[in-house]
Amino acid sequence: MDVKIEESWKNRLSPEFEKAYFKALVKFIKNEYANYKIYPPGSKIFNAFIHCPFDRVKVVIVGQDPYHGPGQANGLCFSVNDGVRQPPSLENIFKEIQDDIGKPVPYSGNLERWATQGVLLLNATLTVRARQAGSHQGKGWELFTDKVLEVVSKEKENIVFILWGAYAQKKGVIIDSQRHFVLKSAHPSPFSANNGFFGNAHFSKANHYLEQAGLEPIDW
């Protein structure tokens, strides 16, 4: 099956595209786009991979679902398009960055600037029906994104994995914490940010680790 994904990822993930679960997923997704409003736009489903080729990955942030409101989702977890109001979780991420490293809150919530520096912004589920959170869970995306994490964990070294909330932490059990730096805390959602997300200093910790490994830090 010919899946339109960035070439360095395609080289590593192509066996997944021939598996029964992925073929069923493709059939389901095509039907969803044909009959419902689905986010992100079809051309943006694999945006995280386009902006962050395998060889450039230094940090992986694991999200859950794409945003399901109009014009929000752009294929990068926690990110929104330019000109779109920042969702509460993203606002809290920027607040923590400001408190942690002193960087002012940016005007735009588009995180492509992180992705192009080597931050893989990976949602567990890559598509969603408009205004129906979780509507594409359990259809096969999770198996695919588990494989993405497995490939990064096995083939690379000194990657920073950032896991916010119980869902991301459960998904991260396949990461080899002996080879990589795994950061965990509460989720930046307003419902949980005060339970350990604020003050986690993940952004400075990530950069310190990268510098210790001889890698360029991220300009958060």
Side-chain angles (χ1 to χ4, degrees):
M1 181 176 291
D2 185 28
V3 176
K4 306 298 185 191
I5 192 170
E6 193 277 332
E7 201 64 25
S8 65
W9 288 104
K10 191 172 189 175
N11 292 339
R12 291 166 173 84
L13 298 171
S14 55
E16 294 300 293
F17 305 149
E18 302 307 320
K19 293 181 179 179
Y21 88 84
F22 197 88
K23 290 180 178 179
L25 171 63
V26 169
K27 185 177 180 181
F28 167 77
I29 293 299
K30 284 182 176 178
N31 182 67
E32 288 286 290
Y33 274 94
N35 292 286
Y36 302 96
K37 183 66 177 176
I38 305 298
Y39 298 123
S43 62
K44 303 279 190 181
I45 293 174
F46 295 113
N47 217 20
F49 305 94
I50 291 170
H51 289 288
C52 188
F54 181 83
D55 294 338
R56 298 193 64 181
V57 177
K58 295 189 287 189
V59 179
V60 180
I61 299 179
V62 177
Q64 191 165 351
D65 266 8
Y67 295 121
H68 53 84
Q72 291 180 306
N74 63 6
L76 309 175
C77 74
F78 295 105
S79 175
V80 291
N81 289 311
D82 291 322
V84 175
R85 182 178 178 180
Q86 295 171 14
S89 290
L90 184 56
E91 285 186 333
N92 287 339
I93 289 169
F94 287 146
K95 286 178 187 175
E96 175 57 25
I97 290 172
Q98 186 173 43
D99 290 345
D100 183 17
I101 60 176
K103 186 167 185 177
V105 174
Y107 174 75
S108 174
N110 192 332
L111 302 182
E112 283 183 12
R113 62 187 181 278
W114 292 3
T116 55
Q117 294 178 75
V119 182
L120 181 65
L121 294 160
L122 183 68
N123 274 317
T125 303
L126 299 188
T127 54
V128 69
R129 268 193 209 177
R131 304 199 180 282
Q132 294 185 42
S135 50
H136 285 185
Q137 291 179 7
K139 303 299 183 182
W141 278 131
E142 295 91 342
L143 295 173
F144 174 71
T145 52
D146 276 351
K147 188 63 179 181
V148 173
L149 293 176
E150 180 186 317
V151 165
V152 174
S153 180
K154 286 184 175 179
E155 294 194 26
K156 297 184 78 75
E157 293 183 354
N158 301 321
I159 301 296
V160 180
F161 288 89
I162 297 179
L163 309 176
W164 294 323
Y167 183 92
Q169 289 164 29
K170 184 177 179 182
K171 193 170 181 68
V173 296
I174 56 178
I175 297 164
D176 184 350
S177 59
Q178 302 301 310
R179 291 163 61 91
H180 307 288
F181 186 41
V182 181
L183 292 168
K184 302 177 183 179
S185 81
H187 194 275
S189 161
F191 300 108
S192 55
N194 287 315
N195 296 327
F197 176 77
F198 289 133
N200 66 19
H202 280 182
F203 304 96
S204 60
K205 288 175 181 176
N207 277 352
H208 178 72
Y209 178 83
L210 292 173
E211 289 174 324
Q212 291 292 104
L215 299 168
E216 280 288 314
I218 304 299
D219 179 7
W220 299 108

